[in-house]
Amino acid sequence: MDTPNAAFSSRMNGQMNGQVNGHSGQLNGQRANGALPSVDQEKLKARLYSFAPKQAPINTRALRFNRPTNAQLRKENTPVAAKLEPLPSLQKYQMVNQPEFIHMKAKEKMEAQGFFKKEEPQAKKMKRASSVEPMDRPASASPLPELPEEFKQKQESMSAASRQISPVPPKEPKPPSPKGRHVRASTVPGPSITAKGTTHLEGIKDPLQMIQLVRENPKIGFLYLSPAVPKSSVDYHYFNLKVVSHENINKDDYCTISIKGVTRMRDDDETEHVPLDRWEQEYRYFRKLIKISVFAKFRKWKAFSVWRKNVRTKKLSDCKKALNENLFIVNPSLCPALLNVREMCYRISDMGLCKVEKGHTYSLHEFREAQFAQLNEVADRLAEFRELVKEVVRSACRTALLEAGFTPDDYFYDGSESPGLGDAPGTASSFQMQSNYDMDIYGEAPDKMTYTEQANKRSHCKRLTCFIRLADYLIVNTMHVLAVNSVSTMLNYLTEQLQNTPALAQIQSIVDEIESKSKVKKGDEDEDDEDVKAKEKAKEEEAKAKAAAAADDEEEANKLPPLFITEFILEPNQLNFTPDEDEFQEGIAEVIKKFQDAVLSVMNLVPDTYFDAFTRPIINGKFEEKSCGEGPSLISMFEDDKHLQSIIQNIREALTAAFNAAHQYADCFEPHREFYKVNESTDLEAVRQAEHDVAFFAETLERYHKQHLMAEAIPVKRPIGMLLVDAIQMKDLLIPSPLRCLDVINDLLPVLARSEVDRLIAELQDAQFKLEMAPTSTIEYVDSLNFLDEIQERIDPLEKEAFIVKEMYELIDMFKVPTPPEDFAVYQTLNPSVTNVRNAIDKSLAERDANVDKFCTHLDKDIAELAKEVKEVKQEAQNPEILDPRADQTKINNLLKKMSVRLEDLQKRAFTYKSYQKNFKVGAYLRSVFLFDVGEVLLRKLLQLTFHDIDQMDVICSKREKHCM
């Protein structure tokens, strides 16, 4: 506080000097005799000098000239005309209608009529005896001690310098008139020179009429002419004259006209004489000239221009005075602080709230954390900025209030201490000092503030409150600009990223790229001699795809990397993003809200208690109520700022556009989502339990392998303008989905193929064995011949089944289904087995006739044996015990049962031999003999059963008779 103390000290010295000078007369009036007691006169005299306030420092950088410029020289050499009143008629009218002028004219008229007497001299007035005359005192008398001569001279020089006013520049001497032939006379011609009888001519203003009068009446001699209007009139010119008497001439400027010519006499110029004819000719020329528009309107134009210049000068001076009183920028105490605040605001406005690294791709969480970290740093700097502004503004307010002659309430104490030195608050003098301040022992003790001083202090504090409010407006405007610039910076980043968004055709070409990659891989797997051309074509397409990819990579290298990263979330019903558009909108909105909160953390200065000494000064012993409000509202500015709202809306639209492109990219993976949904809904256990054909295995293997290739061909990361789409999580879900189904198919196909191979080989080997076996009995011949017929029909289906198995193993080989090597070894024996069976069939067909003959031979033997057995049964049936009623029925029944079983067996054999004869078309004599013998045995069995039934009926009837009785 060195500077305020120094300024305060110099100001206090000046003010106390003024008080001593002002009160010295009163003290001398009270003590007129001698010097003041206990006062050093030398020190008192030294305090009589007063000094002007310090002027503003000279601007050394201002443009200065070491010599007068040409424009200054021309201006100095230009004669200055007399100042004309803007409205002479109005001035004359006002002067005539003034009460003083009317009273003066009335008084003169009454004095001329003799109503008033002339006042007598003061010395001749009568005096009353009791009257007391005032004491005559020389003007230089003073009750103060006599000053030395050197101090008197110094005071006189200072007084003269203070009263000195700028001298009026001397008028330029008028060049001598070429017509001036006579020197002005020392005296004005008397009335005796003029002719008599010219009184009736007074008032004539027409120069031509004057010339005619002088020429027609030579006896007149000459006439006195005087200007008809004053110089201030717009009608004043050289020839505007009127005839006057000698008493009414204007001695400073008048003319005489005679037959010789016109003589013009002026007090400030030489006398000029113009011959009458020449004067008349000049007048006529003058009349013609004043009819020209320029000369006719010259007087009015000059009067208006002078009036306009004066009015403009007056307004400029008033405006200058008002600006000097109201503008803080011209206040020497507040101007540096205001410039410092503006400089700090300018520097702080360059600081950005939004921090984005070029070439870095952020996740939403990482971006938010980066912005929040930047905001924390900025918040600390803003807090330091506010504290610095507070110090600058309060120091300036203190200095301004001190220079105004008032001491701030908090200048010598803390906020908790009372302001006065034992007095009531606000009543202490404005000039109170610190206790350790070097006070002047000869100065008067400070008095309490008067009401006028307190009112002035209130007015100054209001002005300083306005200054604090101005600082608030500067800070709030800076904070608003800082927030808007930061949001605009974010929008610029997003717009720049959005320009890299690929077109819809480029996005849809990703599907073709994925399909081409899958085809190329499949082509590599399906190498075949027949697909050489297709392979070459695929290689060409691959080369083109690589070239296009290289071009795309080069183009992408020139582009900026995406700003944000998002991931695919694969669900059976839809394909989503994480974070999605709503989360991005909320995250960016939160960042913008934090921007606003960061600048809103800089509170206004007006409501701060730090400035209560200026916003709530102590007046009349109490604190003034704060009437300045809370200062400008930055929240309202944000709400009303349509430009800021449009920027925020553009940010939302940019994010929406970015996600629209990402959704278009996601639509390319709709087939992937569909097969993922189907695969997830497939019951693999049911697939394992069901029976499937080769078409099912071919279709599923191809589908699942294609899905696997499609899943592997998905780019891991793909820049889509602003967003970098990460498909790692989606690939992690997609790739296992077809692989799980493939595992089931891979488990089923080799097992099914091996079982079919085993079944076919077993059947073929059995057929080959049966065909190659030599029959030895009738049954073997029958089986051999029947099997030969059966195998002839079966061989074609077996070949088809073998072909199906072949397709299975081709699928296994094509799709690299894991299969044990021994399965392939067993499969290799399938085709030779079919060939061997086919050869055995051909051989058996060649030997069929011979085998039929052998079969007939064996069949005849069997028929003979059958007939022999039939005869034996017939002989047993001839047993007389069978028909004997007295024979043992149990024994007979057992015998008949054995005969029935044997007959059934013989019957089956007879039917079998009969079928053999029918099938192979060999004889039919077996039927009659066998049927006769069998019928006889069956008849005897039936008869035996009838006897048994009759006996049973007799027993039942006897039982019933006994019961009836």
Side-chain angles (χ1 to χ4, degrees), residues 283-298:
Y283 174 71
R284 294 183 183 277
Y285 289 160
F286 174 76
R287 294 296 298 175
K288 293 180 180 180
L289 286 174
I290 63 175
K291 291 181 181 179
I292 301 174
S293 177
V294 175
F295 299 103
K297 298 178 180 179
F298 173 75

Side-chain angles (χ1 to χ4, degrees), residues 779 781-791 916 919-920:
I779 298 300
Y781 275 105
V782 170
D783 292 339
S784 178
L785 293 173
N786 288 334
F787 181 75
L788 180 60
D789 295 335
E790 291 176 1
I791 199 63
Y916 291 162
N919 291 336
F920 300 110

Side-chain angles (χ1 to χ4, degrees), residues 179-243:
K179 302 297 182 180
R181 300 175 182 176
H182 302 279
V183 180
R184 182 179 178 182
S186 59
T187 59
V188 180
S192 59
I193 303 177
T194 61
K196 296 181 179 180
T198 61
T199 306
H200 64 283
L201 299 179
E202 293 184 6
I204 298 176
K205 296 182 179 181
D206 187 6
L208 296 178
Q209 186 179 357
M210 298 175 189
I211 294 171
Q212 184 179 2
L213 288 173
V214 172
R215 286 178 176 174
E216 293 178 354
N217 301 309
K219 295 181 178 180
I220 293 178
F222 64 93
L223 298 174
Y224 286 104
L225 305 179
S226 194
V229 295
K231 285 187 176 182
S232 61
S233 175
V234 295
D235 296 328
Y236 177 82
H237 56 80
Y238 184 85
F239 296 98
N240 191 0
L241 305 171
K242 66 177 179 180
V243 178

Side-chain angles (χ1 to χ4, degrees), residues 238-349:
Y238 184 85
F239 296 98
N240 191 0
L241 305 171
K242 66 177 179 180
V243 178
V244 297
S245 62
H246 180 267
E247 292 82 5
N248 296 328
I249 64 174
N250 184 4
K251 296 182 180 181
D252 294 334
D253 184 9
Y254 69 94
C255 300
T256 59
I257 184 171
S258 64
I259 194 67
K260 298 294 185 179
V262 177
T263 303
R264 187 80 177 243
M265 285 159 283
R266 296 179 180 176
D267 189 22
D268 57 349
D269 197 1
E270 294 181 358
T271 301
E272 61 179 6
H273 178 78
V274 181
L276 188 61
D277 296 337
R278 178 62 181 271
W279 194 75
E280 179 182 4
Q281 184 181 10
E282 290 180 356
Y283 174 71
R284 294 183 183 277
Y285 289 160
F286 174 76
R287 294 296 298 175
K288 293 180 180 180
L289 286 174
I290 63 175
K291 291 181 181 179
I292 301 174
S293 177
V294 175
F295 299 103
K297 298 178 180 179
F298 173 75
R299 298 294 296 180
K300 294 181 180 179
W301 169 83
K302 186 175 182 180
F304 173 76
S305 63
V306 172
W307 171 82
R308 179 179 176 275
K309 182 179 180 181
N310 293 336
V311 171
R312 186 170 179 271
T313 304
K314 180 65 168 59
K315 288 184 176 181
L316 287 175
S317 62
D318 293 343
C319 293
K320 182 179 180 181
K321 182 179 179 182
L323 292 177
N324 287 329
E325 293 176 356
N326 298 320
L327 284 183
F328 298 114
I329 196 67
V330 298
N331 190 315
S333 301
L334 303 180
C335 177
L338 187 60
L339 294 178
N340 289 336
V341 171
R342 289 182 65 88
E343 182 181 2
M344 287 188 289
C345 291
Y346 176 76
R347 291 181 179 179
I348 206 72
S349 62

Side-chain angles (χ1 to χ4, degrees), residues 29-77:
Q30 295 175 0
R31 300 180 181 181
N33 299 325
L36 292 173
S38 67
V39 175
D40 191 349
Q41 295 185 5
E42 295 298 329
K43 291 186 177 181
L44 182 61
K45 291 176 183 178
R47 292 176 58 85
L48 292 177
Y49 302 119
S50 61
F51 300 94
K54 294 183 179 180
Q55 301 295 327
I58 299 175
N59 187 4
T60 57
R61 300 179 63 182
L63 181 62
R64 297 180 181 275
F65 297 97
N66 297 327
R67 56 183 180 80
T69 61
N70 296 331
Q72 292 175 347
L73 293 175
R74 286 195 299 270
K75 187 175 180 181
E76 291 177 359
N77 296 330

Side-chain angles (χ1 to χ4, degrees), residues 482-697:
L482 182 60
V484 173
N485 289 343
S486 300
V487 178
S488 299
T489 302
M490 181 181 295
L491 177 61
N492 293 335
Y493 280 119
L494 298 182
T495 305
E496 186 178 5
Q497 293 287 338
L498 203 60
Q499 293 176 356
N500 298 330
T501 304
L504 180 60
Q506 295 178 349
I507 295 175
Q508 293 177 348
S509 64
I510 298 173
V511 181
D512 301 333
E513 180 181 350
I514 294 174
E515 292 180 355
S516 63
K517 288 182 180 179
S518 61
K519 287 180 180 179
V520 169
K521 291 182 179 179
K522 186 176 180 181
D524 293 339
E525 295 173 356
D526 300 337
E527 293 183 356
D528 197 355
D529 294 337
E530 298 178 357
D531 299 334
V532 175
K533 295 182 179 180
K535 183 177 179 181
E536 293 178 356
K537 186 176 180 181
K539 287 184 178 180
E540 292 178 0
E541 293 179 356
E542 183 181 4
K544 292 181 181 179
K546 289 182 179 180
D552 293 340
D553 293 340
E554 184 178 358
E555 183 178 358
E556 290 179 0
N558 297 330
K559 294 181 180 179
L560 290 174
L563 183 60
F564 298 114
I565 185 172
T566 184
E567 294 180 358
F568 274 131
I569 296 298
L570 181 62
E571 296 179 358
N573 295 325
Q574 59 184 353
L575 188 61
N576 296 326
F577 293 95
T578 178
D580 57 1
E581 181 181 355
D582 295 336
E583 293 176 355
F584 267 98
Q585 295 284 9
E586 293 175 1
I588 298 301
E590 183 181 2
V591 171
I592 295 175
K593 182 65 169 57
K594 291 294 184 180
F595 286 170
Q596 297 180 359
D597 293 341
V599 297
L600 288 174
S601 64
V602 182
M603 306 302 295
N604 291 337
L605 302 180
V606 171
D608 197 340
T609 57
Y610 194 71
F611 297 95
D612 281 352
F614 312 104
T615 58
R616 297 181 60 206
I618 302 175
I619 304 297
N620 295 329
K622 61 180 182 180
F623 287 96
E624 289 286 309
E625 293 185 2
K626 186 177 292 187
S627 60
C628 55
E630 298 297 327
S633 175
L634 186 56
I635 298 178
S636 301
M637 294 176 66
F638 284 144
E639 293 176 354
D640 298 338
D641 191 354
K642 295 182 179 179
H643 176 62
L644 177 61
Q645 300 302 326
S646 65
I647 293 175
I648 296 175
Q649 182 63 29
N650 291 336
I651 290 176
R652 296 195 187 101
E653 293 176 356
L655 290 175
T656 302
F659 271 93
N660 289 338
H663 283 297
Q664 293 174 357
Y665 176 62
D667 293 340
C668 299
F669 300 100
E670 189 64 22
H672 301 73
R673 186 193 64 80
E674 289 292 339
F675 77 70
Y676 175 76
K677 179 180 178 181
V678 173
N679 294 344
E680 292 298 317
S681 61
T682 302
D683 188 359
L684 298 181
E685 291 299 326
V687 173
R688 289 180 184 273
Q689 300 298 330
E691 295 181 359
H692 307 288
D693 55 1
V694 180
F696 170 78
F697 286 106

